[in-house]
């Protein structure tokens, strides 16, 4: 069906549909199924797959209307939408049939199995192996930094299937059932005491042949799709709070769903340095009277303001039609520097009190949590060093590092 | 609110950049270093008349373009990038700012003359020992006669009109005064500036005929300083961008050890870090420029952020650019030092970054 | 005068390093985090008795080794490197320092007990809200009875003897007092410390029996602080060196993109810069340690240099070490965070680097 | 002659000899010839070549005695001693005969022709070519950063003689007569206004066959000897002021000689940041009352103190017999950071006045000269980046950068 969409038509259609269907006291699963069937849950998706083929530029209109009604959307927490987009782009119809709806309704939870102990910055260096044997794929190896693996029903797995070709060409992408004996999920505790990630061990875990995504050896290309949507999601994190005008049982259900998968991220504001607390802390501790502290505080506030404005300029440029490119790396690097500066300022403002943690510590341990979380920001999601490479090579166009890992992967030096 | 330049603004930038590239290449600016006035009179006249930049944010009634301070700052950024040595900042921005804030009867005429390019003006307000607090000014006016000494005056030798901040002996209040540069009783002393592309002088006034343009109080003076600081910051950020571009360009062509030095992480990461800081400072400068057109309560805050960020990044960019060039970057013949000199000079003019960091907190009220 | 360690001093360092490596590997220290006292009593006893380190710079008459503060600092540096969690700093250095500066009749006995290891002592001087100026202390003594609250006390739970700075209600002067840890009226509150390998507590005294050890005035107190700061700085520099070693070792084995990450300039230069700063800070720490044995007019200057340099470099070394390790460096199971926690804790104890930079200038008289 | 030297014998012999020969009113050239003949000018050199075979550890005793008498030593300014040591180590007897004495007497001045516009950090990348033709070597190419080339009688030239072998193997070392038509010396002006160096252009300049030093293709090895002595000289720069107890005409002659060759270095203290001026400036400008300035000033003073003590520790370690290694790079890097910090402090203390140079500027332009000279310190004599490579690879033992220039030089990518 080829509809001639306009903003007013979209707005009217969505309103009408919501008026007819939205019920804040429906069961979440029932509402989600109705929503998925309507196509308004993922309007930019094809009509064939739970969408209405809406031009992406009009999607915000749909969201506005949902917001106006306080209507709950499809399940979005965790990495489920990355899974959905990846399967939409690269999966078989069988896979889409099996998974897409239950991703959107929130019935099934997903995790992403890319990183390994031996391949961090060098993501293409995966050594988890998948071998076809007796009509199934047999998987052995280890993944790490897997968020919510202990809740997940399925995983997006990048595994090596060919060791005799260059590293980027020997990987294949799979959907793996996480609820099987060969998959062992262990929590991974961080230095700040949280355990937000998992290690996942595969010992002769199996994957049916029809759960391979795209061709053998095409894994890197498929993974790039997943990562592209991950970056987009990360950049879109801010804003978009749902306007809950009305009471309703569905909100509780949704809050519970959301809490489960957002729990690993509770310390992320501390990781970013909590610039919002800096001035109040300086006032509360009277360190605002110390000129060395004032200089560092001012520097922090300025950096933070400038980073906000820079992000705003980037968004404006995007809206003017410039494609979103590696500028994300600039923002990430800025956030890393801001967090490090905040670490310094919080240390200066708390002074000797910053030796204390937990209930004994300043702000009931929040300052200590900042001090113990900030070191992660320059590592997680790509180290500062990797970001600088990206900026230099892709933004500034400087020559790439010569490659030493271009031969058959079997011969490449590795851990 | 997201910040983006309009198509017209981008077009303006492009026009100015092309003009400066063809009329003021750095080789030409080098020649001007040894000239009397430090700039080519024809080039400045073309900027003012042909390009119509004589008073970008001045009212149309006085011949200005009636645009905003954002446009003025766009032009300044391009001038900073090109290291333009003419009296645009001093006459067509700072003097225009000063004249625009005065209500005196004659200011409209002066403004018209400056905007049209019939007259080049410059501000004389800083006094001996780099004093630039209004309350510290000792220069005094008495019934149309002005005496005292001003220093750090930009582009002094070529100015036709001097705009002076002085204390009235009669009212005991501060005001701006206009003095014709060729009046009797004026003594110019050229100063040896670290910045070879911007002339500085000390000017002594001995009972010189002066016309009062209007009163200036502390809040008006601060507003004027904010405008000046934001103009300068935008000019500086252009210089910083040029230094980054120059470093990247050299690093991408210079080969050592069988590879471009730009393929080495030491150089690559230096440039990436610099790009980030240039972008951050740009955001501050653009945001501040925008605020100057509005009765924004935070104008002083934004001005201080812009100057602090621009000061730090321009000096660093110039130093990094010298470093990336290696030995050749330290030679007189290489152009980098000309921007470095501008960076060091602009860094401290009207307050360095630590001054503006402190000022920002005070403006924030903490 | 050139500074070099003697063969005997190098031998001492080697002995302590080997002892700690075999008796206190980091895995063992991790176990102690969950123990009652935070350290292994036998290991501490061996250090004190078998290695004879109970009072390195204490007089031979009291059972000390009669060596200099340099030797004490060598041992502390090795303990910082190994992240030793026992009460050596609190009892065998800081308490010994306190007892050595008192002329009270009983101090000799206390000192002998501490040096021999028959007694573990700790200092209680900082008060609520991290007050550590002598004049701010509110803890008071009245005819052998002491009341008040002290906090940031190191290794509280395992101490037998508390040495307390308090104001005498009678003389209105400050003095050091000794209190048996098991006296009536003492209330310990364990604090949750960011540093898992050094126990902190708050101790409340409610009319506790106390023995006066001697008076302490501002200059004596400053001298005592200098000793403490230099001890801590030397311990910190050991930690910094360990973080550098760990970063270099990991970078030399970790392979990404077909090469060790240590072959990449980003990592290589980070480590090189860190080495320089570790060496600079070491020089400050060694020079300050040496000065503590002499009536050097610059003792406080040197102490402040040592603490400022050590504070900055230890935190940075730990952060860099985490960064070089990447994700694994941020995990609980990786040991790096244990040093990072120590670094953050020691950084602010008795003044951070900006405090000591300011103090240095004041001591210089400018 | 194999003498059994002891400290007291050396002291006695030197004293006796000085008592008999030293005359502060002798002509400089006469005294130097006497000195060279005696062997006390370069006592550690072999007796065959103007020395007395003194063990190096006893040389300070000789210097002490010369100092006590106020006796002038051999000519040391400029790079002449590097030339002498290089010829002593690698030259032919004919070359030693021709040059050594006149180096020591100061009659002939030398310069070093290694660096080129295209080979800065990559010193082995020289492209100045020497070709044997008609019984001489014909030299074409360009050198740069040559101190005192306009005064020099002879130059130490590193030139490429073979383009078909790897870069380090294709260079040959020569002595070139600077007073010939094919050698054009041009001053090179720096950004601070001084012209301390030269560019040297070779257009069919000639070198007799007997002026090759060591074998063809051995140039790199010989150059390493020169550079080793250069580093030693740089590290020994401090100290050793001659104690001029008496008046005498010889001192004037020597001062003139010295002034000629030390003139290029007059701005070096400014390049190092003039830490010595920092406190006085802060007091004079009252910026000592500004807390931001105080922090930076204190940081500067601390860095500077620590660098001194670190150098002292390194000297002590050397005296204890540890060999002098790449630690020089640490000192150089420290000096670079100190100078940059001094640049910051001088800017803060002078404030707006630092816009002025020359007579109008603070301290009659000295501050401006500092601001314009400091940028050189992180470049000259090996950039900070090169020093960090050396420290990481040679001190910390980290893996070397993979080489991309190991094939025949002809095929190596270059400027």
């Amino acid at each position: 069906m080829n509809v001639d969409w306009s903003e007013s038509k979209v707005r009217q259609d969505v309103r009408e549909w919501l008026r007819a269907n939205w019920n804040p006291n429906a069961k979440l699963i029932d509402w989600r199924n109705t929503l998925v069937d309507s196509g308004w849950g993922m309007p930019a998706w094809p009509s064939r797959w739970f969408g209405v083929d809406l031009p992406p530029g009009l999607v915000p209109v749909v969201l506005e209307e949902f917001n106006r009604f306080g209507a709950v959307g499809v399940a979005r927490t965790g990495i489920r939408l990355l899974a959905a987009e990846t399967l939409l782009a690269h999966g078989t119809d069988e896979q889409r049939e099996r998974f897409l709806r239950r991703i959107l309704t929130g019935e099934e939870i997903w995790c992403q199995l890319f990183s390994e102990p031996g391949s961090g910055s060098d993501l293409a260096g995966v050594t988890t192996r998948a071998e076809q044997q007796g009509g199934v794929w047999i998987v052995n190896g280890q993944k790490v930094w897997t968020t919510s693996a202990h809740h997940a029903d399925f995983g997006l797995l990048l595994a090596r299937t060919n060791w005799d070709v260059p590293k980027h060409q020997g990987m294949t992408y799979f959907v793996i059932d996480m609820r099987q004996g060969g998959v062992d999920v262990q929590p991974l505790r961080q230095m700040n005491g949280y355990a937000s990630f998992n290690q996942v061990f595969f010992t002769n875990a199996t994957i049916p042949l029809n759960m391979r995504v795209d061709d053998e050896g095409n894994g890197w290309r498929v993974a790039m799709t997943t990562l592209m949507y991950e970056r987009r999601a990360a950049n879109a994190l801010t804003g978009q709070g749902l306007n809950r005008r009305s009471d309703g049982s569905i909100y509780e259900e949704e809050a519970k769903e959301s809490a489960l998968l957002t729990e690993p991220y509770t310390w992320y504001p501390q990781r970013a340095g909590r610039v919002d607390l800096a001035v109040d802390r300086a006032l509360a501790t009277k360190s605002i009277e110390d000129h060395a502290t004032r200089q560092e505080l001012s520097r922090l506030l300025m950096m933070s303001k400038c980073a906000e404005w820079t992000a705003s300029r980037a968004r404006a440029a995007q809206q003017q039609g410039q494609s979103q490119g590696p500028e994300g790396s600039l923002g990430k690097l800025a956030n890393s520097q801001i967090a490090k500066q905040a670490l310094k300022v919080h240390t200066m403002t708390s002074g000797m009190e910053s030796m204390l943690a937990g209930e004994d510590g300043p702000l009931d341990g929040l300052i200590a949590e900042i001090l113990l979380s900030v070191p992660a920001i320059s590592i997680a999601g790509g180290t500062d060093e990797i970001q600088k490479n990206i900026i230099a090579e892709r933004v500034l166009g400087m020559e790439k590092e010569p490659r030493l890992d271009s031969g058959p992967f079997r011969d490449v030096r590795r851990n | 609110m997201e910040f983006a330049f309009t198509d017209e603004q981008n077009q303006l930038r492009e026009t100015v950049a092309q003009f400066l590239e063809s009329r003021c290449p750095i080789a030409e600016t080098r020649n001007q270093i040894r000239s009397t006035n430090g700039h080519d009179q024809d080039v400045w006249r073309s900027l003012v008349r042909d390009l119509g930049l004589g008073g970008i944010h001045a009212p149309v009634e006085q011949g200005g373009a009636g645009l905003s301070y954002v446009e003025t700052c766009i032009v300044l950024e391009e001038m900073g990038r090109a290291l333009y040595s003419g009296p645009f900042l001093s006459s067509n921005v700072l003097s225009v700012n000063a004249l625009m804030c005065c209500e005196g009867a004659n200011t409209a005429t002066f403004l018209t003359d400056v905007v049209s390019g019939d007259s080049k003006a410059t501000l004389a307000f800083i006094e001996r020992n780099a004093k630039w607090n209004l309350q510290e000014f000792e220069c005094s006016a008495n019934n149309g006669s002005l005496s005292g000494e001003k220093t750090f005056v930009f582009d002094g030798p070529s100015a036709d009109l001097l705009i002076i901040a002085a204390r009235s002996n009669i009212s005991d209040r501060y005001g701006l005064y206009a003095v014709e540069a060729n009046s009797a009783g004026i003594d110019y002393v050229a100063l040896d500036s670290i910045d070879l592309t911007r002339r500085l002088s000390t000017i002594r006034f001995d009972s010189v005929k002066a016309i009062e343009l209007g009163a200036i109080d502390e809040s008006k003076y601060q507003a004027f300083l904010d405008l000046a600081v934001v103009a300068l910051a935008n000019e500086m950020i252009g210089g910083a961008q040029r230094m980054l571009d120059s470093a990247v360009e050299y690093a991408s062509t210079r080969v050592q050890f069988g590879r471009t030095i730009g393929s080495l992480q030491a150089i690559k990461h230096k440039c990436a870090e610099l790009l980030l800081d240039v972008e951050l400072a740009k955001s501050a400068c653009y945001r501040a420029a925008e605020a100057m057109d509005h009765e924004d309560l935070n104008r002083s805050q934004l001005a201080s952020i812009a100057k602090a960020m621009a000061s730090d990044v321009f000096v660093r960019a110039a130093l990094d650019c010298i470093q990336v060039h290696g030995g050749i970057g330290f030679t007189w013949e290489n152009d980098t030092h000309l921007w470095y000199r501008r960076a060091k000079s602009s860094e401290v003019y009207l307050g360095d970054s630590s001054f503006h960091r402190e000022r920002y907190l005070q403006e924030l009220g903490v």
Side-chain angles (χ1 to χ4, degrees), chain A, chain B:
Chain A
M1 188 180 63
N2 227 331
V3 186
D4 200 9
W5 292 111
S6 69
E7 185 178 327
S8 60
K9 175 167 169 48
V10 175
R11 205 174 289 283
Q12 194 186 332
D13 285 10
V14 176
R15 266 188 211 179
E16 270 172 31
W17 185 83
L18 281 172
R19 238 178 253 129
N21 292 280
W22 168 240
N23 169 11
N25 289 306
K27 279 198 64 180
L28 181 60
I29 179 70
D30 295 339
W31 159 248
R32 286 257 179 80
N33 271 312
T34 309
L35 175 60
V36 169
D37 287 333
S38 75
W40 290 119
M42 293 300 286
W45 280 14
S47 329
R48 165 88 174 81
W49 297 111
F50 316 117
V52 296
D53 282 310
L54 194 70
L58 290 172
V59 172
V61 179
V62 180
L63 296 178
E64 271 169 45
E65 291 306 312
F66 269 68
N67 234 332
R68 197 186 309 268
F69 278 77
V72 168
V74 296
R76 292 185 170 273
T77 46
I79 67 120
R80 38 169 64 102
L81 281 188
L82 315 186
E85 296 283 6
T86 305
L87 292 176
L88 194 65
H90 298 276
T92 60
D93 279 358
E94 185 193 359
Q95 289 163 354
R96 294 170 179 147
E97 199 70 67
R98 165 65 187 83
F99 296 118
L100 292 187
R101 171 183 292 272
R102 275 183 266 193
I103 287 174
L104 301 180
T105 60
E107 284 164 280
E108 286 170 353
I109 293 176
W110 288 65
C111 67
Q112 177 183 308
L113 302 158
F114 290 2
S115 293
E116 298 185 3
S119 64
S121 292
D122 181 12
L123 193 58
V126 303
T127 58
T128 291
R129 58 175 70 223
E131 287 160 315
Q132 206 175 326
Q133 211 175 303
V136 290
W137 292 93
I138 308 288
V139 181
N140 282 285
Q142 184 190 349
K143 295 287 178 178
V144 76
W145 309 120
T146 317
T147 311
S148 301
H150 52 309
H151 298 305
D153 300 292
F154 296 97
L156 300 171
L157 174 71
L158 191 60
R160 189 158 305 276
T161 48
N162 186 344
W163 300 66
D164 296 315
V165 292
K167 61 200 284 188
H168 291 88
Q169 297 163 34
M171 291 170 284
T172 303
Y173 199 103
F174 300 95
V175 171
I176 187 169
D177 184 346
M178 294 293 286
R179 314 285 194 190
Q180 60 170 305
V183 177
D184 181 22
V185 175
Q186 298 289 343
L188 186 60
R189 196 171 169 207
Q190 297 118 245
M191 62 177 259
N192 62 3
Y194 288 89
S196 313
F197 306 100
N198 304 97
Q199 298 186 80
V200 181
F201 299 87
F202 303 102
T203 314
N204 294 323
T206 60
I207 301 175
L209 296 185
N210 61 358
M211 287 297 116
R212 192 191 69 210
V213 180
D214 211 320
D215 293 340
E216 209 177 312
N218 249 352
W220 184 249
R221 209 167 61 91
V222 183
M224 285 299 101
T225 299
T226 313
L227 293 177
M228 184 187 70
Y229 282 101
E230 188 176 29
R231 265 197 306 274
R232 281 196 200 166
N235 290 335
L237 261 185
T238 44
Q240 290 215 18
L242 183 63
N243 172 21
R244 282 169 197 179
R245 292 189 316 166
S246 49
D247 289 333
S249 59
I250 198 167
Y251 295 124
E252 285 153 45
E253 265 196 278
E254 199 218 7
K256 226 170 100 186
E257 171 194 88
S258 174
L260 184 77
L261 295 184
T262 53
E263 185 271 335
Y265 306 104
T266 46
W267 58 282
Y268 276 28
Q270 279 69 273
R271 185 178 78 172
R274 296 302 299 268
V275 180
D276 57 318
L277 301 174
V279 170
D280 286 348
R281 284 292 297 162
L283 291 168
T285 63
K286 297 206 167 54
S287 54
I288 196 74
E289 291 160 19
D290 173 66
H291 282 77
T293 306
R294 289 178 71 83
Q295 283 286 317
E296 298 304 331
L297 174 64
S298 184
R299 208 187 288 269
L300 172 64
L301 299 178
M302 286 186 179
M303 286 166 76
S304 173
K305 281 276 179 206
C306 289
E308 272 174 39
W309 296 328
T310 304
S312 156
R313 278 171 59 218
R315 278 194 303 272
Q318 257 183 283
Q319 284 163 17
Q320 287 186 341
Q322 291 169 35
S323 75
Q324 202 219 344
E327 297 78 23
S329 291
L330 273 180
K332 189 166 182 324
L333 195 56
N335 289 339
S336 171
Q337 293 183 359
I338 290 165
K340 291 277 159 76
Q341 179 69 13
L343 173 68
K344 194 173 182 176
V345 168
H346 285 304
T347 304
M348 289 179 94
T349 52
S350 290
M352 228 191 285
E353 299 278 348
S354 68
M355 293 170 77
L356 302 177
E359 286 179 11
D360 299 317
L363 296 187
D364 279 335
L366 193 58
I367 296 298
E369 194 170 308
I370 294 168
L371 306 188
L372 292 171
S373 298
V374 163
I377 201 165
S378 46
I379 298 170
T383 62
D384 279 4
E385 287 75 20
I386 292 288
Q387 306 308 326
K388 288 179 201 168
N389 272 356
I390 293 173
I391 294 166
E393 293 171 6
R394 301 198 206 154
V395 184
L396 296 174
M398 300 175 88
E399 190 182 350
K400 290 202 171 171
E401 200 77 31
R403 290 212 80 109
L404 300 180
D405 56 352
S406 47
F409 188 69
R410 195 178 290 287
D411 305 329
V412 169
R413 185 175 167 197
R414 55 185 186 268
N415 293 294
Chain B
M1 188 197 56
E2 317 284 21
F3 181 86
F5 290 112
T6 63
D7 288 345
E8 291 73 23
Q9 289 169 336
N10 288 328
Q11 182 55 46
L12 172 67
R13 182 187 296 282
E14 189 58 30
T15 304
V16 174
Q18 280 175 7
F19 175 90
L20 293 170
E21 205 177 316
S22 69
R23 300 288 301 276
C24 289
I26 190 68
E28 178 50 30
T29 300
R30 275 184 177 270
N31 291 335
Q32 292 300 333
I33 291 173
R34 285 178 299 274
S35 75
T36 312
N37 288 333
H39 70 276
D40 180 327
Q41 166 79 2
D42 291 343
V43 171
W44 175 78
R45 209 187 302 272
S46 280
L47 275 166
V48 170
R49 299 197 177 155
D50 306 343
L51 267 62
L53 303 179
I56 301 173
H57 61 284
V60 177
E61 302 82 65
Q62 267 79 42
L67 296 171
S68 76
Y69 214 58
V70 171
E71 277 81 3
T72 297
C73 287
I74 287 172
V75 172
L76 283 169
E77 183 181 347
E78 291 310 312
M79 288 178 172
R81 187 196 300 259
L83 202 68
Y84 177 59
S85 67
F88 185 85
L89 175 65
S90 57
S91 183
N92 304 96
V93 181
L94 302 186
S95 295
V96 164
N97 289 342
L99 291 167
M100 277 174 68
C101 81
C102 291
E103 294 96 28
N106 333 13
T107 52
T109 317
F110 284 123
L111 187 53
T112 307
D113 284 355
V114 169
V115 166
S116 68
D118 288 346
S119 166
K120 268 185 268 188
T122 193
L123 291 176
F125 64 114
I126 303 175
E127 296 196 0
R128 191 186 282 264
N129 295 324
K131 287 195 174 133
W132 50 290
N133 286 328
L134 191 64
Q135 264 60 0
E136 291 175 320
F137 292 159
E138 293 178 4
C139 205
S140 64
N142 199 336
N143 250 340
S145 162
L146 192 134
S147 291
E149 183 186 295
K150 294 287 183 179
T151 186
F152 291 98
V153 178
F154 284 6
D155 308 307
S158 60
D160 309 301
L161 181 71
L162 306 172
I163 300 172
I164 298 138
R167 191 173 45 77
S168 159
N169 273 348
I170 296 160
S171 69
D172 208 29
R173 278 190 289 195
Y174 291 88
L176 289 181
Y177 295 83
V179 163
E180 303 282 349
N182 55 7
S183 307
I186 292 187
D187 182 24
Y188 284 91
V189 184
L191 295 172
D192 193 350
S193 167
I194 201 170
D195 177 2
L196 301 173
T197 57
R198 178 164 281 153
R199 296 295 161 91
L200 292 181
S201 43
T202 294
I203 307 183
R204 297 200 189 96
F205 304 91
D206 183 8
S207 303
V208 176
K209 183 162 172 287
I211 299 162
E212 183 167 359
L213 295 170
I216 186 160
D217 59 7
E218 190 58 34
S219 97
K220 232 177 187 176
Y221 183 64
Q222 287 302 323
F224 162 73
L225 283 181
D226 286 336
L227 286 169
V229 152
V230 169
L232 188 66
N234 275 277
E235 186 197 78
M236 291 171 83
I237 203 64
Q241 178 70 51
R242 174 68 167 253
M243 292 292 90
L244 170 61
D245 293 345
S246 168
V248 169
E249 189 194 338
Y250 187 77
S252 299
T253 51
R254 172 79 171 172
V255 175
Q256 296 279 277
F257 306 106
R259 56 198 289 187
T260 61
I261 61 171
S263 75
L264 294 161
Q265 283 190 336
I267 305 297
K268 205 177 263 193
H269 289 191
K270 192 191 284 294
C271 291
E273 289 160 10
L274 184 55
L275 173 67
L276 173 59
D277 282 4
V278 168
E279 288 296 322
L280 293 178
K282 268 189 185 173
S283 298
C285 290
Y286 297 166
R287 183 73 191 79
E290 197 187 17
M292 293 300 117
D293 285 314
H294 302 100
E295 285 300 323
D296 193 318
L297 286 172
N298 302 331
R299 283 166 53 130
S300 293
Q301 287 176 31
L302 295 169
S304 278
I305 299 180
K307 182 62 164 66
M309 298 296 289
S311 289
D312 283 349
V313 79
F314 189 12
V315 170
R316 179 167 145 224
L319 282 172
D320 282 356
C321 188
I322 293 172
Q323 185 70 20
V324 167
H325 277 77
I328 200 75
F330 190 67
T331 60
W332 188 272
E333 289 315 311
N334 186 278
D335 299 320
T336 311
H337 74 102
L338 299 175
W339 273 272
Y340 174 70
R341 289 163 174 274
R342 171 68 65 85
K344 288 305 291 178
S345 178
S346 298
E347 177 190 14
V348 292
Y349 185 71
L350 302 183
D352 67 4
S353 60
S354 74
F355 172 89
H356 283 285
R357 278 193 290 272
E358 177 58 35
R359 182 169 178 258
Y360 173 58
L361 285 194
Q362 287 177 9
E363 292 290 336
L364 262 185
V366 298

